[in-house]
Amino acid sequence: MYDKVVVIGSLNYDVCLKLERLPEEGETNFADSVEYCSGGKGANQAVQAAKLGIPVYMAGCIGEDSSGDFLKKTVEGYGVRTDYLKRVPGNSGMSVAQSLYDGGIRASVVRGANDCVTRKDIDELANVITPETIVVFQLEIPIDTILYAIDMCREKGAFIILNAALPEDTLKKLDLFIVNEVEASFYGNMQIDSVETAEKEIREMTKRLGTACIFTLGKAGSVVCDGTKTEMVPSKKVQAVESTGAGDSFIGGLCYALIKEMDLFEACRFATCCSAKTVCKTGGQPAMPTLDEVMEIYKGENT
């Protein structure tokens, strides 16, 4: 069925501050620790899929700076192929995140090289994208490039996943549309404030778009609809330390499960185990689990 994943998206050099509370306006307070790591939604999703043992290509741009060297080396260290990762003049993308002890997080992002992904870069992917390819998008590179890439992937017959929101005429070209409850409320017909409203809206959205949908509902879990069936997949009960990368871990796990020919609902249950493992550690990509680590909780609920 599917034999590889191509992630077209962002890479960021992340500075993660750990602190008890956010500073008030005009106040300076001290963080308890700092971590420097490879991030960006695109790179995170690629790394999680690679850590599960499937072939993954990362397509995007990094700067001609030391951060770019770090980002390339780090994702390659996790097994991600970087044949289509381009160096451009200037700085790489960067994020500064403030992570609280209750699991909350606030982040500011500088797009940097991520803003330099062009249609020409997408054309260079023509030979690697086939009907056996899962292609994953977010919204951290230029929108025009994403729209162009979705059209190309559609023509190639690839399985297209978008973890964000775009105009409906584009959403109808997808195979799987994944949004959180805030995004679903914006693009849907009602405020998503409960599992019941999520289930009602996801059925309507799936019918309207002709596209399978997943609504992620934070600590509650997620709702999945393939057009004929709707199911609530609850989150796993774990001792959360930090939420950094949890959503990206979910996407990477979903890609693995689809390559292993799980149906969409079972794939979502597997992906939920990935994100549950991720929130138990700090640091985004380093916190993302290997296949053996995921299986510790996935097998437990499937025996």
Side-chain angles (χ1 to χ4, degrees):
M1 193 176 179
Y2 305 115
D3 59 12
K4 63 182 175 299
V5 175
V6 175
V7 179
I8 302 175
S10 58
L11 304 94
N12 291 330
Y13 182 79
D14 285 354
V15 179
C16 302
L17 306 176
K18 193 74 176 180
L19 65 170
E20 184 175 352
R21 64 175 180 83
L22 297 173
E24 301 292 340
E25 183 178 355
E27 178 191 17
T28 298
N29 66 353
F30 290 95
D32 295 322
S33 64
V34 61
E35 291 185 42
Y36 305 95
C37 53
S38 172
K41 283 185 173 293
N44 287 348
Q45 293 169 9
V47 164
Q48 177 61 93
K51 289 180 79 170
L52 295 171
I54 56 177
V56 183
Y57 291 81
M58 180 73 220
C61 290
I62 52 177
E64 293 179 339
D65 55 4
S66 59
S67 295
D69 296 335
F70 175 79
L71 294 172
K72 184 173 185 291
K73 181 179 180 180
T74 301
V75 297
E76 288 177 341
Y78 289 119
V80 177
R81 294 282 299 271
T82 58
D83 308 52
Y84 302 96
L85 187 60
K86 187 176 75 174
R87 303 297 291 257
V88 297
N91 295 324
S92 299
M94 180 181 180
S95 169
V96 177
Q98 295 173 306
S99 175
L100 306 181
Y101 285 103
D102 64 5
I105 190 166
R106 304 289 188 276
S108 298
V109 178
V110 179
R111 292 182 180 274
N114 294 312
D115 241 2
C116 299
V117 185
T118 66
R119 292 187 174 200
K120 182 180 178 181
D121 299 322
I122 301 305
D123 290 338
E124 293 175 0
L125 291 167
N127 291 332
V128 76
I129 294 176
T130 70
E132 290 75 41
T133 307
I134 296 174
V135 185
V136 185
F137 296 93
Q138 319 79 33
L139 290 186
E140 294 188 337
I141 62 173
I143 298 298
D144 176 73
T145 302
I146 295 171
L147 298 177
Y148 181 79
I150 287 175
D151 283 340
M152 187 190 80
C153 292
R154 186 75 168 177
E155 291 174 7
K156 293 283 187 178
F159 187 94
I160 307 169
I161 298 176
L162 175 70
N163 177 213
L166 287 170
E168 285 205 4
D169 59 344
T170 298
L171 300 183
K172 292 177 181 179
K173 300 175 183 178
L174 307 176
D175 295 286
L176 181 56
F177 179 45
I178 305 171
V179 285
N180 61 33
E181 66 268 39
V182 176
E183 294 162 334
S185 297
F186 181 78
Y187 282 85
N189 298 315
M190 64 178 67
Q191 181 68 33
I192 308 301
D193 54 10
S194 67
V195 172
E196 292 72 26
T197 56
E199 289 176 339
K200 182 177 180 180
E201 175 55 30
I202 201 171
R203 284 190 287 266
E204 293 182 5
M205 186 176 290
T206 301
K207 181 179 180 180
R208 187 170 73 249
L209 299 178
T211 300
C213 296
I214 298 176
F215 291 174
T216 56
L217 307 177
K219 294 179 181 179
S222 56
V223 177
V224 191
C225 183
D226 65 358
T228 59
K229 177 184 174 183
T230 302
E231 184 175 326
M232 172 65 191
V233 177
S235 61
K236 304 294 292 183
K237 303 302 180 185
V238 295
Q239 189 64 45
V241 174
E242 183 181 292
S243 61
T244 304
D248 299 326
S249 176
F250 181 92
I251 302 296
L254 198 68
C255 290
Y256 169 88
L258 293 174
I259 281 182
K260 296 301 179 180
E261 300 188 17
M262 297 183 196
D263 66 32
L264 184 59
F265 303 95
E266 192 60 33
C268 192
R269 284 188 282 273
F270 179 88
T272 298
C273 293
C274 292
S275 55
K277 278 288 187 178
T278 298
V279 301
C280 293
K281 299 178 183 178
T282 62
Q285 291 175 15
M288 291 176 179
T290 63
L291 183 58
D292 287 344
E293 290 172 328
V294 177
M295 285 301 179
E296 291 174 3
I297 55 175
Y298 177 69
K299 282 187 175 180
E301 68 175 21
N302 289 276
T303 55

